[in-house]
Amino acid sequence: MNLHLSALLLLLVILLPSGKGMFGNDGVQVRTCTSQQAVCFFGCPPGYRWIAFCHNILSCCKNMTRFQPPQAKDPWSH
């Protein structure tokens, strides 16, 4: 049973913070971060610039407007 729980935790750690889940991830709204026009993630996804920490474990990330890498483009948008 302990192995199953560890495997589930590993799966969540790998998939959820990256924002590559099935439905996408828009980040978390935290007042200190939204004052900088940014959102909080468990790690900045491609196309976002790291600014500061939110609540010790989250990263405050701002969307890059210039020089976005090709990985930042949403493959489902036209």
Side-chain angles (χ1 to χ4, degrees):
M1 181 67 181
N2 199 9
L3 181 62
H4 295 294
L5 185 61
S6 297
L8 178 64
L9 183 62
L10 178 67
L11 182 69
L12 290 175
V13 166
I14 290 172
L15 291 179
L16 292 180
S18 65
K20 300 293 183 198
M22 180 182 271
F23 300 110
N25 185 358
D26 293 333
V28 179
Q29 303 289 330
V30 177
R31 184 171 31 123
T32 56
C33 194
T34 54
S35 65
Q36 302 287 326
Q37 289 84 32
V39 290
C40 292
F41 293 98
F42 276 115
C44 293
Y48 282 82
R49 182 172 45 102
W50 187 87
I51 295 177
F53 285 110
C54 305
H55 296 294
N56 294 332
I57 60 168
L58 297 174
S59 294
C60 185
C61 306
K62 187 172 184 175
N63 196 359
M64 296 170 59
T65 55
R66 294 175 39 194
F67 307 119
Q68 279 193 338
Q71 296 89 347
K73 295 182 178 74
D74 190 14
W76 294 282
S77 66
H78 296 282

